[in-house]
Amino acid sequence: MIRDVEVLVIGGGPAGLCAAQAAAGAGAHVLILERDDVPGGQLVKQTHKFFGSERQYAGDRGIFIGQMLVEEMTNHPNVEIMTDTTVLGIYEDGVVTALKDEQHLKFRPKKIIVATGAAEKFLTFPNNDLPGIYGAGAVQTLMNVGGVKPADKVIMVGAGNIGLIVSYQMLQAGVDVVCVVEAAPNIGGFLVHASKLRRAGVPICTGWTVKEAYGDGKLEGVVLCRLDEKWQPIEGTEIKVACDTLCLAVGLTPLAELCWQAGCHMEFIRELSGHVPVTDENLMTSVEGIYAAGDVSGIEEASSAMVEGRLAGYAVAVSLGYDVERAQKEVEAARAELVELRSGPMGGKIRAGLAKVAEKRGGASC
Amino acid sequence: MLIKDGIPTKEDLAAVLPSEERLAKGPVAITECFQNIACNPCVAACPQHAISMEPDINATPKVDPDKCIGCRLCVKACPGLAIFVVDMSRPEDKALVTIPFEFLPVPQKGQLVCGLNRAGEEQGWFKVTQAVSGGKKNMTWMLTLEVPKELAMEVRNIKVGGYRDGE
């Protein structure tokens, strides 16, 4: 049996929840499919206060923003959330298939908003398969969702926001954070996060990387080395550092498989951290009725993901004829918010990436 | 250098420190926020409208030292934990420094804590004169420490745990 759905949101993270909030708020009926057993996406483990402005709930902790959005969507008469549900494919006849409780489900949505987020990148070095080497996301889940202290003595690789934030959260959990190593010559994350760690006594070592890991059956330590300006290891700079855990926070890449499979026009955009669907100013992909919002269309902060979700949700409402005048105003407000969030020096990369997307599309940049 | 190791330089700090005259008058907020990021909760948090951000949300905050009364609401509001309040107005040789704090255990008023500077180096043991919770939702504590005046621009954190009962 194929179930008819008005708006299908794939992914119940910050972008998906805000898309549902917008579309349902305008009057559309929304079904959110979430792979995890709880909705909220990465918000469920973001114990730090968010940046941005009031409109993106700045100053609130991510976990509370997630709880608020989930509660609002759970109680919304126009919204249904199905958890433990993995979307398998989007087919050319518009049918979306999903797996839940060993059941193969089929949906026929009028509009689809893909908000599948991102996956962590990994790093290649000898013995990187030793137990004790984790992605930062896994460590954060163990710690902030599972309540498990993930390590006794950890080295963090990556001084982007995730590496800095997860290091700080490990300190809060009582873990000895030996250092943060960053291959780039400069700290990539917010400097206030870096300063917070540094004044807690954690050194941040820019221009360093992991050469190899060692240990008998489990991680016992790593060899770190300095890098030159061409990112090549400098011989003779190797130092052995003991640790039971190595945490990798070396970037994210969009989880865009469903967009590929749906036949969306895809492009590799380095500044957006991978292959992304080419979207228009309403965040619609090249396939009519399929939208993409959040990290799936380019890696950015959660605050931007929430605004993108809102933009896509209202754009869908407009196209379905719900509360058109107000929804259109909200679309424009969301666009203006994104421009503002991306207008600073930290937004340079995303602006360059979006300009390339616009070029590929042959239109103006969002 | 801040962008290499997370430690603001003297030059970075010089740009945000209030004048000695203003410091001597009473508590005032110091925003150790040096990077243009899209963030502005401190502006909304200030009941005196003493914090501004021009031309937009990507600018760094500017405190008007004449309007600021050192109420500390910005200390708990700042997502980057980058705002401190320093009070140099007391007649004796002690200053009061208020820092944001997000660790357990939280020291109690009257206890002695080991103060750390911006590089995490120990600066001595100082009395906690106030420990105020930011509330259930905010969850950032504001700790006020009594430090020698010459360390008022150095102490910016404390070592977690090992607190001693004050005399």
Side-chain angles (χ1 to χ4, degrees), chain A residues 221-358:
Chain A
V222 294
V223 177
L224 303 177
C225 73
R226 257 186 186 288
L227 295 176
D228 64 20
E229 303 86 68
K230 289 177 182 156
W231 299 65
Q232 296 306 307
I234 304 174
E235 218 155 301
T237 60
E238 294 87 354
I239 52 165
K240 256 177 140 176
V241 186
C243 60
D244 59 43
T245 304
L246 183 75
C247 193
L248 300 175
V250 291
L252 302 172
T253 191
L255 264 178
E257 290 88 342
L258 286 171
C259 296
W260 277 109
Q261 202 252 341
C264 300
H265 172 192
M266 305 292 289
E267 289 285 352
F268 180 84
I269 313 273
R270 190 175 53 83
E271 292 85 351
L272 302 180
S273 307
H275 280 94
V276 294
V278 173
T279 53
D280 66 13
E281 67 278 7
N282 287 326
L283 302 183
M284 192 168 81
T285 67
S286 62
V287 177
E288 179 67 34
I290 300 183
Y291 296 70
D295 275 357
V296 67
S297 56
I299 305 303
E300 244 185 304
E301 293 299 315
S303 40
S304 305
M306 290 190 281
V307 183
E308 280 204 346
R310 183 159 21 99
L311 199 171
Y314 279 118
V316 161
V318 170
S319 71
L320 289 170
Y322 285 107
D323 203 359
V324 173
E325 201 176 316
R326 186 181 71 89
Q328 186 56 41
K329 272 192 189 135
E330 290 285 359
V331 165
E332 278 148 30
R335 273 190 209 133
E337 263 175 71
L338 286 170
V339 167
E340 190 179 41
L341 285 175
R342 292 163 176 162
S343 67
M346 294 296 274
K349 204 171 134 190
I350 196 87
R351 289 198 303 273
L354 292 172
K356 284 187 186 174
V357 169

Side-chain angles (χ1 to χ4, degrees), chain A residues 125-200:
Chain A
F125 53 86
N127 299 324
N128 71 355
D129 59 345
L130 277 173
I133 303 180
Y134 293 84
V139 161
Q140 215 183 13
T141 302
L142 274 174
M143 192 163 59
N144 298 352
V145 179
V148 177
K149 187 180 169 189
D152 285 321
K153 197 172 176 185
V154 69
I155 292 175
M156 174 64 76
V157 183
N161 272 340
I162 295 179
L164 297 173
I165 288 169
V166 174
S167 294
Y168 180 74
Q169 292 174 356
M170 281 196 283
L171 285 179
Q172 289 176 310
V175 176
D176 175 10
V177 182
V178 181
C179 62
V180 177
V181 296
E182 168 58 59
N186 291 326
I187 294 165
F190 292 169
L191 297 177
V192 285
H193 286 314
S195 296
K196 233 162 59 176
L197 273 180
R198 184 63 236 211
R199 65 177 184 260

Side-chain angles (χ1 to χ4, degrees), chain A residues 49 61 168 187 195 199 343, chain B residues 58 76 81 102 138 140:
Chain A
K49 290 185 278 195
R61 294 180 187 275
Y168 180 74
I187 294 165
S195 296
R199 65 177 184 260
S343 67
Chain B
N58 289 286
K76 72 167 187 176
L81 308 194
E102 295 186 331
N138 175 278
T140 301

